[in-house]
Amino acid sequence: MASFVIEGGHRLNGEIHPQGAKNEVLQIICATLLTKEEVTVNHIPDILDVNNLIQLMREMGVDVAKTGVDSYTFKAENIDLAYLESEEFLKKCSSLRGSVMLIGPMVARFGKALISKPGGDKIGRRRLDTHLVGIQNLGADFRYDEERGVYEITAEKLRGAYMLLDEASVTGTANIVMAAVLAKGTTTIYNAACEPYLQQLCRMLNRMGAKIGGIASNLLTIEGVEELHGTEHRVLPDMIEVGSFIGMAAMTGCEITIKNVSYENLGIIPESFRRLGIKLEQRGDDIYVPAQDSYQIESFIDGSIMTIADAPWPGLTPDLLSVMLVVATQAKGSVLIHQKMFESRLFFVDKLIDMGAQIILCDPHRAVVIGHNHGFRLRGARLTSPDIRAGIALLIAAMSAEGTSTISNIEQIDRGYQNIEGRLNAIGARITRI
């Protein structure tokens, strides 16, 4: 098991480029199964979750070729349907959260999908009801083998339907959209997720010949087509990584420029960091974060304590709350962090408390942070990364801390961040992989 050793207190300076968006590319790769023609995808991040999915696609029979530093072609002409029912395939699905988005394309194109309960971060309950009920609404039959932990979904022919989703699930919406594009008739999805990742998926499918209306809204209308064809697609910069770099600059008091961020797709993220008192400027499509000795958390107009909470898009993504919590530990003032979606995501705060942070964990969803205003630096510590986002938050804490820290289980960080130590060391960090 690998670890990071971090020397805290080093100031960063320079430019850094965000990787391609992990949450988008997992959907895009699964969508390549919807056609037998070649699909080219650019700006693919070199991270564990994505590489594992690409390898799984190869083993399914997809012809995958790496055509550039971050570019791949996928041609799903000769899929090994027998392999899709094998124990080996099911075992690999169980270790990869993104594999759940194979259901929609496989049922739509091949009439059947077998998939084991997917793994991923241990951040709380992540139910699949929205995925499966939505595809059932299109006419698929569903069976769960409790002994094997395997879902079996079959359909002779999917048919369009109206549905009101019980939650605006990003991956659930993506799965239903991918199934509906080849269904007969019209599908209407209300309370659909409308994150930029979903918008990107829908636009790519339309370039492939799908007929999806209402993109960027929570009401999607899909006219089914007989088949899809090939296309080329470029993945957006990862908004979570952009936010992580903003927080990193503030915590370490350094000056950095984050390049080519696709600012129009960041939504409320820049303003959420400004609420914590962090200065940042949009320069073209870049974000410039100046060095700050201090940043003060805003209060609401009536003087009450600031609350930062996650919400479906265009609200704040839950993936950034761990970073914002860490950043608040060195702010002036107090803030309530309210993680509504996942009940285990704030449990990493005990590690920050050990480092000297002033945090009150109210319950599994809420934590009050009382900032040090840089009057007291966090102490180096031995840490363990419980999930991707907590892992990067702990890395930020360690970079700002006094002394040396060790973070173990960094495979969790590798699942979502490409060569993170190399890119940060290039602008002044001191991180060693052991």
Side-chain angles (χ1 to χ4, degrees):
M1 185 179 290
S3 301
F4 281 148
V5 176
I6 305 104
E7 291 180 27
H10 293 280
R11 290 209 165 198
L12 312 182
N13 186 272
E15 297 180 349
I16 193 162
H17 292 258
Q19 66 189 30
K22 166 185 176 284
N23 291 342
E24 177 189 337
V25 77
L26 294 175
Q27 298 175 20
I28 295 298
I29 290 173
C30 292
T32 64
L33 287 173
L34 287 165
T35 178
K36 61 183 179 182
E37 296 184 19
E38 187 173 273
V39 177
T40 300
V41 185
N42 303 308
H43 203 209
I44 292 181
D46 182 12
I47 55 178
L48 203 55
D49 273 11
V50 171
N51 292 340
N52 285 344
L53 181 59
I54 290 173
Q55 183 57 32
L56 183 62
M57 297 286 280
R58 285 192 176 103
E59 290 164 4
M60 291 167 63
V62 179
D63 185 7
V64 181
K66 186 171 184 178
T67 57
V69 175
D70 58 4
S71 298
Y72 286 81
T73 59
F74 300 85
K75 191 171 184 181
E77 187 175 16
N78 300 303
I79 299 299
D80 184 352
L81 297 179
Y83 178 73
L84 301 186
E85 299 186 24
S86 69
E87 290 300 322
E88 181 184 349
F89 172 74
L90 295 171
K91 183 178 179 181
K92 290 189 175 181
C93 289
S94 69
S95 63
L96 179 61
R97 179 73 192 175
S99 65
V100 70
M101 286 178 290
L102 295 170
I103 295 174
M106 290 197 299
V107 173
R109 188 167 164 213
F110 306 115
K112 185 175 184 179
L114 234 67
I115 198 158
S116 54
K117 194 171 181 179
D121 287 328
K122 306 304 180 187
I123 56 176
R125 189 170 58 96
R126 306 176 79 178
R127 61 193 182 89
L128 298 179
D129 299 53
T130 305
H131 302 246
L132 300 174
V133 171
I135 294 172
Q136 275 184 297
N137 287 337
L138 297 174
D141 294 320
F142 161 74
R143 187 175 68 86
Y144 179 58
D145 186 334
E146 191 168 349
E147 186 176 332
R148 297 173 67 203
V150 172
Y151 300 95
E152 182 177 354
I153 306 96
T154 56
E156 287 189 15
K157 182 63 181 176
L158 297 176
R159 297 188 177 276
Y162 170 86
M163 61 188 82
L164 173 60
L165 303 189
D166 63 337
E167 63 172 350
S169 164
V170 178
T171 53
T173 303
N175 235 338
I176 298 165
V177 166
M178 288 188 283
V181 291
L182 294 180
K184 186 176 179 62
T186 302
T187 299
T188 303
I189 309 172
Y190 199 19
N191 195 31
C194 52
E195 273 78 352
Y197 311 134
L198 230 299
Q199 298 174 34
Q200 286 279 95
L201 172 68
C202 290
R203 292 186 180 113
M204 185 186 91
L205 291 172
N206 278 352
R207 291 195 304 274
M208 294 170 70
K211 296 179 180 178
I212 305 171
I215 297 172
S217 78
N218 68 345
L219 180 60
L220 296 175
T221 303
I222 304 164
E223 298 286 341
V225 297
E226 287 295 320
E227 63 179 7
L228 298 180
H229 52 75
T231 190
E232 185 166 355
H233 179 79
R234 182 171 179 82
V235 176
L236 286 175
D238 196 312
M239 68 171 76
I240 315 304
E241 196 171 68
V242 172
S244 300
F245 294 150
I246 294 171
M248 195 174 290
M251 275 288 280
T252 57
C254 68
E255 172 188 350
I256 66 170
T257 299
I258 310 166
K259 302 291 291 181
N260 303 321
V261 300
S262 189
Y263 198 92
E264 64 181 8
N265 287 299
L266 294 179
I268 201 172
I269 290 172
E271 188 56 35
S272 298
F273 280 101
R274 289 189 182 104
R275 284 185 161 190
L276 295 179
I278 297 169
K279 296 175 184 176
L280 55 96
E281 301 171 20
Q282 180 185 0
R283 295 183 173 179
D285 202 30
D286 303 340
I287 289 179
Y288 170 71
V289 186
Q292 290 178 254
D293 294 326
S294 178
Y295 48 97
Q296 182 167 351
I297 298 170
E298 295 179 1
S299 298
F300 286 117
I301 292 173
D302 63 0
S304 58
I305 185 173
M306 175 59 60
T307 299
I308 303 288
D310 58 336
W313 187 268
L316 181 64
T317 171
D319 284 350
L320 271 176
L321 284 192
S322 299
V323 170
M324 300 192 82
L325 186 150
V326 165
V327 171
T329 65
Q330 289 298 331
K332 181 180 181 181
S334 301
V335 63
L336 172 65
I337 302 292
H338 191 174
Q339 165 60 265
K340 297 176 182 176
M341 192 170 295
F342 302 113
E343 67 269 18
S344 302
R345 210 164 208 172
L346 296 182
F347 287 164
F348 81 103
V349 301
D350 61 336
K351 301 172 177 65
L352 298 174
I353 293 169
D354 290 343
M355 296 176 78
Q358 292 186 305
I359 304 171
I360 302 166
L361 185 61
C362 307
D363 56 44
H365 292 276
R366 296 177 302 161
V368 174
V369 185
I370 300 98
H372 288 305
N373 192 24
H374 287 288
F376 173 83
R377 285 176 61 186
L378 300 180
R379 299 181 295 268
R382 297 192 68 85
L383 309 165
T384 300
S385 172
D387 64 74
I388 298 174
R389 307 310 176 187
I392 201 69
L394 291 174
L395 181 61
I396 293 171
M399 289 169 63
S400 73
E402 190 171 43
T404 300
S405 299
T406 302
I407 303 178
S408 59
N409 196 31
I410 60 169
E411 287 80 6
Q412 288 287 353
I413 300 174
D414 290 337
R415 287 180 49 219
Y417 292 87
Q418 173 180 314
N419 184 27
I420 190 65
E421 76 274 22
R423 289 188 290 153
L424 294 178
N425 287 342
I427 58 172
R430 296 279 182 87
I431 305 169
T432 305
R433 180 182 291 261
I434 303 297

